[in-house]
Amino acid sequence: AGHPVLKETVSSRIGPANAEAREKEIVISVNDFDDTAYYVQSKGDSLTVFVAMQNFDALLQYGVESYLKHVYGSDQFALNLSSSTVKEMTFNFSLTVDLAFDYGSEAEAVAEKVSCLKRNVLASPFMWYFDAMKAGKAAEGTIKIPFRQNEAMYLKKGKDDTAIVVFSVRFPEKTDWVVAQVFLREFADARNDSGLQLAPAVSYSKTAPMELDGLSVEDGEGVCFISFVLFKRHWDTKVESSVTAICQFRNYLHYHIKCSKAYMHMRMRRRVDDLLATLARARPAAEAAVEKKTWGGRTCAK
């Protein structure tokens, strides 16, 4: 769930064993999915990660501050939710980590926690809403989580202790939607497998589901809506793993679409090469030149 560059950077500098590595100052700029950018700065015994995310300010109303303080509330973390400008770029918040502290066997877990900054921001509205459902105080309406430009996640309480998550996903290319249908059909039919009866129910369509009636939703030819019905076991006892899977679903889907298209292109190129080789073998060999002479004794080649 975390960013591998962030995790590797923290792992290589954390704890007393890496004191020598911390003597060298580092500055790293790296991007992530969902239009997220990181700026990492480490000098001495501290490391600061600046984070810029789409629509971060709009997510603050859904418990982002309280959840981040819960996750990064120990004395070894310093969370700053104020925006700051670094290298002429504006970042929404930052996290500073004490690298000199001896974390012992928890060092890798700390590195993983730092690498999951984006995941924890996107998870905050879900954790906030599911806590309200547990307390019986969940709002009846639908909340919108705008995590990308022109795309969003919607969350609403369903019937019989269910929660409904709807993705609006934009496919800029028609071929992407054709390939996506194959994957989404497998998701929708997954519960027919006896071993996957406990999986969330999945449905998809080109039109907005009834849960989004009355809302201003994304539209256009390339927009698709994917719905997940989470049962109580998903948002109660297995909430952390469920939320992680939800936050990664959009990237998971597009990753497999691109891999499938790349595989089909490889197959097509291989097929063309085979056909060209077959045509080359079917071409008749050129006849050898025949030398002939005229009555006058001159030679001509035919």
Side-chain angles (χ1 to χ4, degrees), residues 161-205:
D161 289 332
T162 62
I164 301 173
V165 180
V166 181
F167 284 82
S168 64
V169 182
R170 187 176 298 274
F171 296 98
E173 298 182 18
K174 292 183 178 180
T175 53
D176 287 0
W177 166 241
V178 174
V179 178
Q181 282 182 294
V182 179
F183 284 93
L184 295 175
R185 193 175 299 117
E186 291 296 322
F187 275 99
D189 296 340
R191 286 173 57 84
N192 295 333
D193 189 324
S194 59
L196 297 174
Q197 291 293 312
L198 300 181
V202 183
S203 61
Y204 63 95
S205 68

Side-chain angles (χ1 to χ4, degrees), residues 11 55 75 86 97 102 133 178 194 213 227 229 249 256 271 284:
S11 297
N55 301 308
D75 295 336
V86 182
V97 187
D102 187 2
M133 288 183 64
V178 174
S194 59
D213 288 347
S227 302
V229 179
F249 172 74
H256 282 282
R271 182 61 175 163

Side-chain angles (χ1 to χ4, degrees), residues 195-270:
L196 297 174
Q197 291 293 312
L198 300 181
V202 183
S203 61
Y204 63 95
S205 68
K206 296 284 285 185
T207 57
M210 62 180 182
E211 287 82 12
L212 305 185
D213 288 347
L215 296 178
S216 176
V217 299
E218 294 73 18
D219 56 6
E221 184 180 356
V223 176
C224 165
F225 295 91
I226 307 167
S227 302
F228 292 84
V229 179
L230 305 182
F231 302 102
K232 187 174 182 180
R233 58 180 170 273
H234 299 128
W235 56 262
D236 190 359
T237 57
K238 298 182 178 180
V239 63
E240 288 289 344
S241 58
S242 298
V243 170
T244 297
I246 291 172
C247 293
Q248 292 180 327
F249 172 74
R250 195 265 179 196
N251 299 331
Y252 172 87
L253 176 63
H254 278 268
Y255 169 80
H256 282 282
I257 291 173
K258 289 175 173 56
C259 287
S260 299
K261 292 172 68 175
Y263 176 72
M264 288 187 285
H265 290 163
M266 291 171 58
R267 289 289 301 272
M268 287 188 290
R269 285 192 292 268
R270 188 180 301 119

Side-chain angles (χ1 to χ4, degrees), residues 121-172:
V121 171
L122 293 180
S124 300
F126 293 97
M127 306 302 289
W128 170 80
Y129 194 82
F130 293 153
D131 285 342
M133 288 183 64
K134 294 175 186 178
K137 300 179 180 179
E140 293 297 329
T142 303
I143 68 170
K144 180 178 181 179
I145 306 171
F147 71 111
R148 288 178 61 87
Q149 187 175 5
N150 300 322
E151 294 185 26
M153 295 181 286
Y154 299 87
L155 182 58
K156 182 179 181 179
K157 185 180 183 300
K159 298 179 180 179
D160 301 326
D161 289 332
T162 62
I164 301 173
V165 180
V166 181
F167 284 82
S168 64
V169 182
R170 187 176 298 274
F171 296 98

Side-chain angles (χ1 to χ4, degrees), residues 11-70:
S11 297
S12 64
R13 301 174 70 86
I14 195 170
N18 293 314
E20 185 176 347
R22 293 197 297 272
E23 295 177 359
K24 182 180 179 181
E25 181 181 1
I26 62 168
V27 174
I28 301 174
S29 294
V30 62
N31 294 325
D32 200 350
F33 294 107
D34 305 323
D35 302 321
T36 301
Y38 303 103
Y39 183 85
V40 184
Q41 195 173 32
S42 180
K43 184 178 181 181
D45 293 335
S46 66
L47 180 143
T48 302
V49 182
F50 297 89
V51 186
M53 295 183 64
Q54 282 279 347
N55 301 308
F56 178 79
D57 293 337
L59 298 177
L60 288 174
Q61 60 181 312
Y62 300 128
V64 172
E65 181 176 354
S66 60
Y67 184 69
L68 291 182
K69 287 182 176 180
H70 168 72

